Amino acid sequence: MASEGQSEYESVLCVKPEVNVYRIPPRASNRAVRAADWKLDAPDWQGRMRVTARGKVAYVKLEDKISGELFAQAPIDEYPGIAVETVSDSSRYFVLRIQDENGRSAFIGVGFGDRGDAFDFNVALQDHFKWVKQDIELTKQAQAPDTTPKLDLGFKEGQTITLNIGQSKKKERSRPQSSGGLGLLPPPPGGKLAPPPSSRNTNHNTQPITGGSETGCLLDLDSNSSNSFAPSNTTSTASADLWGDFDSAPPK
């Protein structure tokens, strides 16, 4: 049976076609490593870098550009950590701890000619171990017992529920019906119908004229006319008498 590490799928995180490898002097103290102490213009080896992941462990593999033969390999179980360290004077160089099949380890220096390649290498390791951290937290949550109280929303034995769907109706307000376009009011409680509003308005606006007043006016006109013609008759008679006296006078 294959072991657990061999049965896991190996994924590729990052590939850089060119990387430089340097032999670095042993550390004399705990001070930060400086890339300026290396012979940067004369790298000890050049090749390809391929970063892979198998389970929770990442691997930095240095391979030949043409044949793909493995030159060195660095297993990384945490980042940042002792397996990969940055230098204090540049962002393009790193200290890498390589291991062989027998478990022997050594520290070498690796560097990229382009700053973008160094950035991609750094981000690939950060993303992988961020995923590892999240996976560990989810596993702990799944294994931890859930102590929070749970709501029991199920029906008890013999419990029923009634749903009224489509039973509500809107109440409509009754409005008085009108016939012929006239706004007639309902009859009074006594049972007598009131006359239409138009007839009542006509009676109020029109004043009745009695026959006696018309007769009086006509009589007044007749009396006035008889009185007015009486002086004219007297005048004509007097004028006739004057002419008669004139005619009866003897000629001179």
Side-chain angles (χ1 to χ4, degrees):
M1 179 180 289
S3 62
E4 183 180 356
Q6 294 178 352
S7 62
E8 292 179 347
Y9 175 74
E10 184 179 29
S11 60
V12 178
L13 304 180
C14 178
V15 176
K16 292 302 173 182
E18 185 174 353
V19 63
N20 300 324
V21 177
Y22 305 91
R23 292 180 181 179
I24 61 176
R27 295 184 184 181
S29 62
N30 293 329
R31 66 182 180 87
V33 180
R34 297 175 68 250
D37 298 336
W38 308 342
K39 298 179 181 180
L40 300 179
D41 55 348
D44 296 292
W45 183 85
Q46 290 180 331
R48 177 181 65 188
M49 174 184 285
R50 190 161 59 96
V51 182
T52 63
R54 183 182 299 169
K56 297 178 181 179
V57 181
Y59 296 88
V60 177
K61 297 182 178 182
L62 304 176
E63 301 172 344
D64 186 80
K65 293 181 180 180
I66 300 175
S67 63
E69 182 182 358
L70 181 64
F71 171 75
Q73 175 176 272
I76 304 171
D77 53 2
E78 62 176 351
Y79 183 77
I82 193 174
V84 178
E85 299 180 63
T86 59
V87 298
S88 60
D89 57 346
S90 178
S91 61
R92 296 187 293 115
Y93 298 92
F94 302 86
V95 176
L96 191 66
R97 186 186 66 179
I98 59 176
Q99 289 182 353
D100 59 6
E101 296 179 355
N102 298 324
R104 295 177 300 179
S105 62
F107 290 93
I108 61 175
V110 295
F112 301 92
D114 185 64
R115 197 176 303 274
D117 293 340
F119 177 80
D120 295 340
F121 170 70
N122 190 18
V123 171
L125 293 176
Q126 287 181 355
D127 291 345
H128 171 72
F129 287 100
K130 183 185 296 184
W131 169 83
V132 171
K133 183 179 179 180
Q134 293 177 353
D135 184 68
I136 294 174
E137 292 179 354
L138 292 175
T139 304
K140 290 180 179 180
Q141 292 178 2
Q143 294 177 354
D146 190 3
T147 58
T148 57
K150 297 182 179 180
L151 296 177
D152 187 7
L153 302 178
F155 288 100
K156 303 297 187 294
E157 184 177 358
Q159 186 178 4
T160 59
I161 186 172
T162 304
L163 298 177
N164 295 327
I165 301 176
Q167 298 296 330
S168 60
K169 295 182 179 180
K170 296 182 179 180
K171 296 182 179 180
E172 298 180 357
R173 296 182 180 179
S174 60
R175 291 179 289 182
Q177 298 179 355
S178 59
S179 60
L182 298 177
L184 300 179
L185 298 174
K192 295 181 179 181
L193 294 175
S198 59
S199 62
R200 288 201 302 268
N201 295 335
T202 306
N203 293 334
H204 285 295
N205 296 332
T206 307
Q207 297 181 0
I209 301 175
T210 59
S213 62
E214 292 179 357
T215 307
C217 293
L218 293 176
L219 293 177
D220 293 340
L221 291 174
D222 292 340
S223 60
N224 292 334
S225 60
S226 60
N227 292 333
S228 61
F229 286 108
S232 61
N233 294 333
T234 306
T235 306
S236 59
T237 305
S239 61
D241 292 341
L242 291 176
W243 285 108
D245 293 341
F246 182 77
D247 293 337
S248 59
K252 293 181 180 181

